[in-house]
Amino acid sequence: MNKIFIFLNTVLLVFTAVMCVVYKNNYQLWLKALTAFGFVAMGAVNFVHTLLSKKKKSFPLLAFFGLALCMAGDIILFKNFVLGAAVFVAGHVMYIAAYCALKKVCVTDLIVTAVTAAASLAFIFLCPAFDFGSAVMTAVAAIYALVISVMLGKAVSDFITERSLLHAIILLGSLMFFVSDIALAFNVFGGSPAWSNTLCLFTYFPGQCVIALSLYFYNTKSEKKLSY
């Protein structure tokens, strides 16, 4: 059975990678939606795998909701930045809930998350390149930075306290998502340097695929520890 799911994940991963290139060369909404569909489909496939493997469903279900909300945010962001950002925040909250369902909150979470959030907020407010244009947009950026910092902080903390392959994959996907949001901030509020859009595109969609792939490893290899 695992071979079937490996095949499906590989096909969807290649599909998303190809669509990233297609979308990069033709910025149309339907192409963006189709690219995002790749990682949502991966999440759906791996959630079915969860049902068949009889693992606990809270982590994969919440993570799948996160993937779906991010796809919705992708589409809405194309037309309305603030509303799209709000949907993305909801997606991040689902990821945070998923990570907490996988591993309960501990003191290390609070410490790492506080450091990550403080660094992110300092970057938002002190980076001279950013011009948010209004108090409302500044607040939106700050809230978004805070939420994604909690997501990344939880992923980092989980890997520190349990160095398994599963947590390494979750950390990689979360970090790629975090980097894509930094690039997006520069693209929208930081003068749109030439590198920002490309970096955002090629860390965001692959990062979501990595998060979707973590559901497969949850089903099969969640107990495997990394050796050094």
Side-chain angles (χ1 to χ4, degrees), residues 2-22:
N2 285 345
K3 290 182 178 179
I4 295 173
F5 286 95
I6 290 172
F7 173 76
L8 292 173
N9 274 284
T10 301
V11 169
L12 289 168
L13 188 60
V14 171
F15 168 80
T16 307
V18 171
M19 286 306 304
C20 278
V21 177
V22 173

Side-chain angles (χ1 to χ4, degrees), residues 25 30 72 78 84 86 114 119 121 128 143 150 158-159 163 166 168 179 198 213 216:
N25 293 309
W30 72 273
F78 215 88
L121 291 174
I143 292 170
V150 173
D158 285 351
F159 181 70
R163 296 187 182 184
L166 172 61
V179 170
T198 300
L213 190 60
Y216 172 81

Side-chain angles (χ1 to χ4, degrees), residues 7 77 82 227:
F7 173 76
L77 199 67
V82 174
S227 59

Side-chain angles (χ1 to χ4, degrees), residues 72-226:
D74 269 330
I75 296 169
I76 297 170
L77 199 67
F78 215 88
K79 299 294 184 180
N80 187 312
F81 183 84
V82 174
L83 182 57
V87 176
F88 262 117
V89 166
H92 287 308
V93 170
M94 287 295 103
Y95 285 145
I96 294 167
Y99 299 171
C100 290
L102 186 62
K103 192 171 177 61
K104 292 182 179 180
V105 175
C106 65
V107 174
T108 305
D109 294 345
L110 302 178
I111 296 171
V112 176
T113 297
V115 171
T116 307
S120 296
L121 291 174
F123 183 70
I124 286 291
F125 289 113
L126 299 178
C127 181
F130 292 143
D131 180 8
F132 297 104
S134 69
V136 172
M137 290 308 300
T138 301
V140 169
I143 292 170
Y144 194 95
L146 182 61
V147 174
I148 194 170
S149 295
V150 173
M151 186 193 81
L152 179 60
K154 175 61 174 168
V156 171
S157 176
D158 285 351
F159 181 70
I160 290 172
T161 56
E162 185 179 327
R163 296 187 182 184
S164 66
L165 179 60
L166 172 61
H167 287 298
I169 292 169
I170 291 173
L171 174 56
L172 176 60
S174 301
L175 182 60
M176 292 173 74
F177 201 169
F178 187 83
V179 170
S180 75
D181 279 334
I182 293 175
L184 178 64
F186 274 100
N187 190 46
V188 177
F189 303 112
S192 191
W195 54 265
S196 60
N197 194 53
T198 300
L199 180 61
C200 179
L201 177 63
F202 289 106
T203 52
Y204 171 69
F205 290 106
Q208 294 280 37
C209 285
V210 172
I211 292 174
L213 190 60
S214 73
L215 275 62
Y216 172 81
F217 283 89
Y218 168 78
N219 297 329
T220 58
K221 299 180 179 180
S222 61
E223 301 303 319
K224 185 175 181 179
K225 301 298 187 294
L226 297 177

